[in-house]
Every structure is written in C-alpha cells, then in structure tokens.
Amino acid sequence: MTVRGLVKHYGETKALDGVDLDVREGTVMGVLGPNGAGKTTLVRILSTLLAPDSGHATVVGYDVVRQPRQLRRVIGLTGQYASVDEKLPGWENLYLIGRLLDLSRKDARARADELLERFSLTDAARRPASTYSGGMRRRLDLAASMIGRPHVLFLDEPTTGLDPRTRNEVWGEVKRMVGDGVTVLLTTQYMEEAEQLASELTVVDRGRVIANGAIEELKAKVGGRALRVRPADPAQLRTLAGWIDDLGLTGLATTVVDAERGSVLVPVLSDEQLTAVVGAVTARGVTLASISTELPSLDEVFLSLTGHRAGAVDDAEPADTREKVSV
C-alpha cells in the first residue's frame, strides 16, 4: 500500500494535509492519533468511500480513485460502529454479504458457517444481531469483513467502547488474520492496542504525519529515558518547562507540560543532559514533590511528539463525513 500527498478538505477544514504512507504486505500498520486527527478520513479514502482532493494512493496495486470496483473486491473494512443488519440473524448477515460478493449459494453458506465458527458465534448464528452483546457484534463485523478473503483489511478503531476482555478477543482475531497473510491498517487511540498489534506506527496529528517507524524507533527519537519533574506547586509547571527549554541542550527532544499528572516530561538522551536538567531545576530553587526517570511509554512518545495525549479531542475532522458510494 502506497500513499503520497493525500489532501482532503471539508469546507474550510483540512482533514488531511499531504499524508504519505507505506504499508508492507503481511504486516499491521498502526495509525495513531487523537480524535479528529484525520485517521477515519484516511481509511475512507483508501477504502474508496471518499475521493481525495489531491494526492495518490494504491492498495494491492489498484488506484483508489481510478479502480474502485476492482479494489473493493480485495479489501475488507470494519469501522468504529457495528455495520451489520441488526434485524437479521448473524448467519444471514454473512450469507447476504457473500452473495453480494458474487459467491455461489453453496460457497456463501460454507463461508458463513466457517467464519461463525472461527469467531465463536456458531451458537448465536440464528439469533438476530440485535440480541448480540457489543463484543459479539464486533466479532460479527470482523467476520463480515473477511467474507471475501481480503488481501487488505482496514480496521478503524475496532475496539472503541469494548470492555478489556472483549478487546483482547478482538486482538486475538486480528493476530490470526495477519498470520493468514492479511495486511492490516489499524487506526487507534489506544496505546496498548498499538503496541499489541502493530509492527510499525504512523503518528498523525491535525491531518499530517508527524512521525513513523517501529515502536522502539519512535521511543528512541524522544530519548532512551524520560525525566519526570513534578513541582510542589502546579502553577510552576509552564515556568519550569520554559527554564528547561532555555537550556538549549543539543538533541534534547521537546519538553512537555503534562498537566494531567502535574509534571513536566523531559526526554533525555544522555546522563549529561539528565544532570544538566536536574542542576537547572535545583538552581532555580523550585520545591519539588518528586523527580524520577523512566523508560518512555508509547503514550509519552505521543505526548512528546504532539504536545497532547492521543485521546485529546481535536476539531480537524468532522464527526460525520459519510458520502454515498456507487457500487
């Protein structure tokens, strides 16, 4: 999958601002970002549900604008919300999708039976989907996206709103799909989900790619350790961050005010930088509640790269960007 310079506007709002992306076959690419960062818009363009204003993208060799019909036959999509017909039983949902994909009656029945068993839904096969739990509906969604044996699967925040147990079940199914050779593009706000599933990450913020690479590579970019300084007086947070920034240490990544935890997060690249930061803080006579070093988590990597947490709400992407699709 190759994406070059994708741009998408909604009126005056620029949801995507020149996005580049490369996804290797048979891997999981995690696209990480806050609400409104442009993740869903990216998925809708790559799955042919939206047309970009400019830029170019190919998936499994098909151009997303020029060859949408061919592309739709080799991809699957699971969005943030259940897309199955809740009035129909689980089995009929899957059978109907199989027929829409031109499977014979025999093959559609066999595929529905196979996927219901794989996703542990056989006992509920004849029940209306409206009676399913949230986790069962999500598994039925995943099964539906697999009916056509897709080469590429788009998962747009697939575990939003699920409890931890059901989330783990979904993760297990995604890992099985990748084991079968499926390429997955996963959008998420959950750091743990990204670390569990993705082999590579692309961090998107306000419609732009601000970092990409393996998780460990991203952690290395913001320093092998993070120095967390918590002043006794929370009102000193921004002043303290300013003093540290004024040190001008070579290679020092962005100092971030983590107001949620009442501390300043300072990625450090060496013992010398750590000593310099501690010396500068103590020289100012700041009373500290605590100071500690820790290995950066993926959440802290995101915080250092963007200045806010992944779950922070941003208005760059409208809540409803659905368009009609011709098939």
Side-chain angles (χ1 to χ4, degrees), residues 190-321:
Y190 298 126
M191 300 298 175
E192 185 182 3
E193 185 161 81
E195 295 208 71
Q196 280 281 335
L197 299 177
S199 49
E200 294 184 65
L201 283 179
T202 292
V203 181
V204 180
D205 193 38
R206 295 177 176 86
R208 294 185 177 185
V209 173
I210 60 173
N212 55 55
I215 292 174
E216 293 307 316
E217 291 175 354
L218 293 182
K219 288 182 178 180
K221 284 183 179 180
V222 298
R225 286 172 293 174
L227 181 65
R228 187 173 292 279
V229 183
R230 186 162 67 91
D233 181 4
Q236 292 185 302
L237 280 175
R238 296 196 179 279
T239 301
L240 186 60
W243 289 338
I244 294 172
D245 280 337
D246 289 343
L247 294 175
L249 299 176
T250 302
L252 186 64
T254 304
T255 299
V256 175
V257 174
D258 187 356
E260 184 177 316
R261 296 176 62 178
S263 60
V264 174
L265 184 68
V266 189
V268 291
L269 303 177
S270 66
D271 290 339
E272 290 76 14
Q273 288 185 349
L274 188 152
T275 301
V277 172
V278 173
V281 171
T282 55
R284 296 281 185 170
V286 178
T287 302
L288 298 179
S290 66
I291 185 168
S292 61
T293 59
E294 55 197 56
L295 293 176
S297 66
L298 187 55
D299 188 41
E300 288 161 343
V301 170
F302 189 90
L303 183 62
S304 292
L305 291 170
T306 67
H308 53 79
R309 296 189 178 280
V313 175
D314 184 87
D315 293 328
E317 185 177 28
D320 188 352
T321 56

Side-chain angles (χ1 to χ4, degrees), residues 12-27:
E12 297 297 319
T13 301
K14 184 174 286 187
L16 295 181
D17 189 9
V19 169
D20 293 336
L21 189 68
D22 291 288
V23 184
R24 293 182 293 113
E25 185 177 346
T27 65

Side-chain angles (χ1 to χ4, degrees), residues 35-321:
N35 289 331
K39 306 186 302 297
T40 295
T41 295
L42 175 63
V43 167
R44 288 174 174 167
I45 289 175
L46 295 179
S47 58
T48 76
L49 298 179
L50 284 176
D53 294 328
S54 62
H56 178 262
T58 58
V59 180
V60 199
Y62 294 116
D63 187 286
V64 299
V65 174
R66 299 174 184 171
Q67 300 169 295
R69 293 177 183 271
Q70 298 94 317
L71 178 55
R72 289 171 193 153
R73 292 188 173 275
V74 295
I75 62 174
L77 170 63
T78 296
Q80 297 177 27
Y81 307 101
S83 59
V84 296
D85 188 329
E86 295 193 352
K87 295 181 180 179
L88 293 179
W91 187 90
E92 289 188 27
N93 267 287
L94 300 187
Y95 175 79
L96 176 61
I97 292 171
R99 293 292 288 149
L100 289 172
L101 291 173
D102 293 333
L103 296 183
S104 67
R105 288 184 175 86
K106 178 181 178 180
D107 289 344
R109 284 194 294 266
R111 187 64 173 152
D113 290 340
E114 175 189 347
L115 287 169
L116 286 168
E117 181 176 358
R118 174 170 176 174
F119 285 88
S120 303
L121 293 170
T122 302
D123 291 344
R126 302 297 174 179
R127 284 168 39 196
S130 60
T131 68
Y132 287 14
S133 67
M136 292 170 68
R137 292 187 197 185
R138 178 54 73 207
R139 295 204 303 275
L140 184 60
D141 259 351
L142 287 169
S145 69
M146 296 296 291
I147 286 284
R149 303 182 189 276
H151 297 290
V152 174
L153 182 61
F154 296 103
L155 301 178
D156 187 17
E157 300 191 20
T159 62
T160 296
L162 297 184
D163 61 81
R165 178 181 175 182
T166 305
R167 188 177 297 166
N168 285 331
E169 292 175 354
V170 172
W171 290 350
E173 292 302 331
V174 173
K175 291 175 182 177
R176 285 175 58 180
M177 293 174 191
V178 177
D180 290 341
V182 178
T183 301
V184 176
L185 188 143
L186 165 77
T187 75
T188 184
Q189 297 181 50
Y190 298 126
M191 300 298 175
E192 185 182 3
E193 185 161 81
E195 295 208 71
Q196 280 281 335
L197 299 177
S199 49
E200 294 184 65
L201 283 179
T202 292
V203 181
V204 180
D205 193 38
R206 295 177 176 86
R208 294 185 177 185
V209 173
I210 60 173
N212 55 55
I215 292 174
E216 293 307 316
E217 291 175 354
L218 293 182
K219 288 182 178 180
K221 284 183 179 180
V222 298
R225 286 172 293 174
L227 181 65
R228 187 173 292 279
V229 183
R230 186 162 67 91
D233 181 4
Q236 292 185 302
L237 280 175
R238 296 196 179 279
T239 301
L240 186 60
W243 289 338
I244 294 172
D245 280 337
D246 289 343
L247 294 175
L249 299 176
T250 302
L252 186 64
T254 304
T255 299
V256 175
V257 174
D258 187 356
E260 184 177 316
R261 296 176 62 178
S263 60
V264 174
L265 184 68
V266 189
V268 291
L269 303 177
S270 66
D271 290 339
E272 290 76 14
Q273 288 185 349
L274 188 152
T275 301
V277 172
V278 173
V281 171
T282 55
R284 296 281 185 170
V286 178
T287 302
L288 298 179
S290 66
I291 185 168
S292 61
T293 59
E294 55 197 56
L295 293 176
S297 66
L298 187 55
D299 188 41
E300 288 161 343
V301 170
F302 189 90
L303 183 62
S304 292
L305 291 170
T306 67
H308 53 79
R309 296 189 178 280
V313 175
D314 184 87
D315 293 328
E317 185 177 28
D320 188 352
T321 56

